[in-house]
Amino acid sequence: MSGKTLQVALIGDRKGDYLPHISAESIVPEIASMLEIKAEAVWIPTEEVDHADMGQFQAIWAGSGPYLSPEGTMEAIRFARENKIPFIGTCSGFKYTIIELAKNVCHAQDPEAYISLNESCGTEYKELTISLHPSTVKEWYAATEAKETSHCRFEINSTYQKQINQHFTFAGTADDGRMVIAELTDHPFFLATLFLPQLNKQSKLLKTLIQSATQTV
């Protein structure tokens, strides 16, 4: 690690005035600095995933949408999953992490049906109180509950909960009843959250993501 700068691929179509985007790109080097290492976020537009060398990155983050190419986003998610690259999907990234699993692991005929039709993301940010279930995520937080910020209101379609449970551990339930943290345990770090950890300057999840990335160097 000496002298090397970790590179985190930020999958998304950047908007310069969009808080989840500007916060994501800034928090990566900030948290790395707390860990006394260097890291940078590198934007990969969703339409350019197919042309990018995803193997050069030590971590992959599918951030907030909307995405010009949902297919490109899912290709990046699949690459991280299959190649054991530390990964986090947040907000829209949560949605497409579930859909990627439905498509490529569960071989669902209608992968998008795994997300409920109540899908929406607004401009109002809301603090969630999240009850943490037994999992490595709970160990990272070192607590029984967590406070995180979200503006996404969609959820997993309960019809397909059994299929999803065969692969993901659900590590956190918000005070509105939605499952908001999904963890793939057979992986160094593979997490999807229905909130925005980049709005938490002390994010335990992003800290662990970057720590995991150091193990891939």
Side-chain angles (χ1 to χ4, degrees), residues 17-124:
D17 60 348
Y18 187 37
L19 180 61
H21 285 179
I22 59 178
S23 298
E25 65 188 17
S26 64
I27 200 169
V28 169
E30 289 174 4
I31 287 187
S33 179
M34 296 178 192
L35 297 170
E36 299 184 341
I37 58 177
K38 295 180 180 179
E40 63 179 353
V42 180
W43 281 101
I44 306 295
T46 59
E47 294 180 316
E48 297 180 15
V49 169
D50 285 345
H51 308 291
D53 177 11
M54 299 305 297
Q56 71 178 300
F57 297 103
Q58 287 74 54
I60 296 174
W61 181 350
S64 296
Y67 303 134
L68 295 176
S69 173
E71 295 78 12
T73 303
M74 287 193 288
E75 184 57 34
I77 294 169
R78 180 175 184 170
F79 185 89
R81 178 176 57 78
E82 293 182 344
N83 291 279
K84 305 294 185 182
I85 296 174
F87 168 83
I88 192 167
T90 59
C91 203
S92 296
F94 178 102
K95 170 185 175 179
Y96 284 101
T97 299
I98 298 298
I99 294 174
E100 190 279 325
L101 180 99
K103 178 182 178 180
N104 296 315
V105 178
C106 299
H107 304 292
Q109 291 186 341
D110 184 9
E112 293 198 9
Y114 277 56
I115 297 294
S116 77
L117 296 178
N118 296 324
E119 173 198 343
S120 63
C121 288
T123 57
E124 181 180 351

